[in-house]
Amino acid sequence: MDTPAALLLELGLLLTALSVLGAVARRLSLSPIPLYLLAGLAVGEGGIAPVPAAGEFVETGAAIGVVLLLLTLGLQFSLTEFTVSLRRHVPSAVVDLALNAAPGAVAGWLLGFDGLGILALAGATYVSSSGMIARLLADLRRLGNRETPAILSVLVMEDIAMAAYLPLLAVLAAGGPWWQSVLGMVAAVGAVLAAFTASYRWGHHLGRLLSHPDAEQLLLRVLGLTLIVAALAEVVHASAAVGAFLVGLCLTGETADRARAVLSPLRDLFAAIFFLGIGLSVDPEDLVPLLPAACGLAAVTAVTKMVTGRYAASRDHVGRRGQLRAGAALIVRGEFSLVIIGLVGATHDGLAPLVTAYVFVLAVVGPLLTHLAGASPRGQGRARGEPARSPHP
């Protein structure tokens, strides 16, 4: 099998550059996410140093990266405790939807979009980035903080909402009948709820099936099952991230600890590629004209997400500092917003560049604001990579 030298060279240079940027970020006690995004912008189409041979690998690796991020995040928590937290945060989900979809809908109306464009922009401003937030919580050592279950509950509620929203948007964009939209929504939400129920009732058997004394066998079994579940979730227009998160929740005890250990290096590699891939998908020429409008929309929705996070954390009786951290963590937008414009953007002039600029602004600014919100003393005292214990809701 012949491997193109250009692919190996470009990947080698990319990984070396990411290593340098990551070391700089760590030296400054920052998350490397903004630097990875800017690196992707520099090497994407229209950037200063395009990497055409590595583009397809980065795109595939990005999809694997978000799955690994949510899988390892799920490994940190107990399924039973998380289910209790999820039920408590139904009101948080309502507040989240009302506060964060409304600015997008109003902006779409003011910009003269039709109903489909307004619906698409509302979805783009509503949903946070599960993948980026998972990495931020790990980078800033906040997985064991009291506000983290509230953050995760909001994210999972958003992903369930996306399971209904994306089929609806896809059918409307294709001009399909209303009954097809309803059928797709019911099927997607039903599949997600069925997966949650199955995980809750029979998930404890999964650890015994996947456990193996050999690290290679454990890695192959856990990763293989996770990718299958993620693929099935995508087939029903649910989130691959939710599928991966559920697999992680089902693994407990020694199996979860060992899975974390063998998966961590792989997660870090593909997570870096995931962030690089988001930047790679953006053309700088599309960003500049709409930056003022995107920045205005980003400022409004950063505030509404901050309110959402503070409300959600307050339901878990978290103090003011933890509420601030929760709100800041939810600001980041990412992969779902880009999926939305992939469905609708081609039929609405100006929508794709606006959402792309909006996502990029918050993907860069969000991690910085999350860092400035400050880690709790408990989070600061934990060594990087040490497993966090799930706090009681």
Side-chain angles (χ1 to χ4, degrees), residues 181-199:
S181 303
V182 173
L183 185 62
M185 291 170 60
V186 170
V189 174
V192 173
L193 295 179
F196 266 107
T197 302
S199 298

Side-chain angles (χ1 to χ4, degrees), residues 177-276:
W178 66 269
W179 60 265
Q180 190 174 350
S181 303
V182 173
L183 185 62
M185 291 170 60
V186 170
V189 174
V192 173
L193 295 179
F196 266 107
T197 302
S199 298
Y200 185 77
R201 292 191 175 184
W202 303 295
H204 59 282
H205 297 298
L206 189 62
R208 291 198 292 269
L209 291 174
L210 298 181
S211 181
H212 195 279
D214 183 68
E216 179 185 353
Q217 279 294 316
L218 180 65
L219 171 65
L220 293 175
R221 292 180 182 189
V222 173
L223 183 56
L225 177 65
T226 301
L227 292 177
I228 291 171
V229 172
L232 292 175
E234 287 291 325
V235 167
V236 298
H237 299 287
S239 167
V242 167
F245 186 68
L246 282 175
V247 173
L249 284 177
C250 291
L251 300 179
T252 58
E254 183 184 356
T255 302
D257 293 338
R258 293 182 59 232
R260 261 197 308 268
V262 298
L263 286 167
S264 290
L266 202 61
R267 174 205 61 195
D268 292 341
L269 169 63
F270 282 98
I273 292 174
F274 166 63
F275 302 123
L276 182 74

Side-chain angles (χ1 to χ4, degrees), residues 69-305:
L69 282 168
L70 270 295
L71 168 63
T72 53
L73 186 62
L75 289 170
Q76 304 281 350
F77 296 91
S78 155
L79 179 60
T80 302
E81 289 180 342
F82 182 74
T83 304
V84 172
S85 179
L86 201 61
R87 286 198 296 264
R88 183 189 298 121
H89 284 287
V90 172
S92 303
V94 175
V95 170
D96 184 26
L97 177 62
L99 289 181
N100 295 289
V106 172
W109 176 70
L110 292 175
L111 291 170
F113 293 140
D114 61 11
L116 183 60
I118 291 172
L119 181 65
L121 190 53
T125 60
Y126 159 63
V127 64
S128 299
S129 171
S130 300
M132 290 191 186
I133 293 170
R135 178 59 186 265
L136 275 174
L137 294 175
D139 283 344
L140 300 176
R141 302 172 186 175
R142 298 183 189 176
L143 290 172
N145 286 6
R146 287 194 61 212
E147 73 274 7
T148 299
I151 295 171
L152 297 181
S153 295
V154 170
L155 292 176
V156 171
M157 291 287 193
E158 287 183 353
D159 285 351
I160 293 174
M162 284 291 109
Y165 171 85
L166 290 178
L168 170 65
L169 194 69
V171 172
L172 292 177
W178 66 269
W179 60 265
Q180 190 174 350
S181 303
V182 173
L183 185 62
M185 291 170 60
V186 170
V189 174
V192 173
L193 295 179
F196 266 107
T197 302
S199 298
Y200 185 77
R201 292 191 175 184
W202 303 295
H204 59 282
H205 297 298
L206 189 62
R208 291 198 292 269
L209 291 174
L210 298 181
S211 181
H212 195 279
D214 183 68
E216 179 185 353
Q217 279 294 316
L218 180 65
L219 171 65
L220 293 175
R221 292 180 182 189
V222 173
L223 183 56
L225 177 65
T226 301
L227 292 177
I228 291 171
V229 172
L232 292 175
E234 287 291 325
V235 167
V236 298
H237 299 287
S239 167
V242 167
F245 186 68
L246 282 175
V247 173
L249 284 177
C250 291
L251 300 179
T252 58
E254 183 184 356
T255 302
D257 293 338
R258 293 182 59 232
R260 261 197 308 268
V262 298
L263 286 167
S264 290
L266 202 61
R267 174 205 61 195
D268 292 341
L269 169 63
F270 282 98
I273 292 174
F274 166 63
F275 302 123
L276 182 74
I278 290 180
L280 198 68
S281 67
V282 176
D283 190 334
E285 292 184 0
D286 294 336
L287 292 179
V288 177
L290 289 168
L291 270 180
C295 288
L297 189 58
V300 172
T301 55
V303 173
T304 55
K305 277 293 183 182

Side-chain angles (χ1 to χ4, degrees), residues 328-341:
L330 290 171
I331 289 174
V332 183
R333 309 306 201 275
E335 61 276 6
F336 266 128
S337 299
L338 297 176
V339 169
I340 289 168
I341 62 170

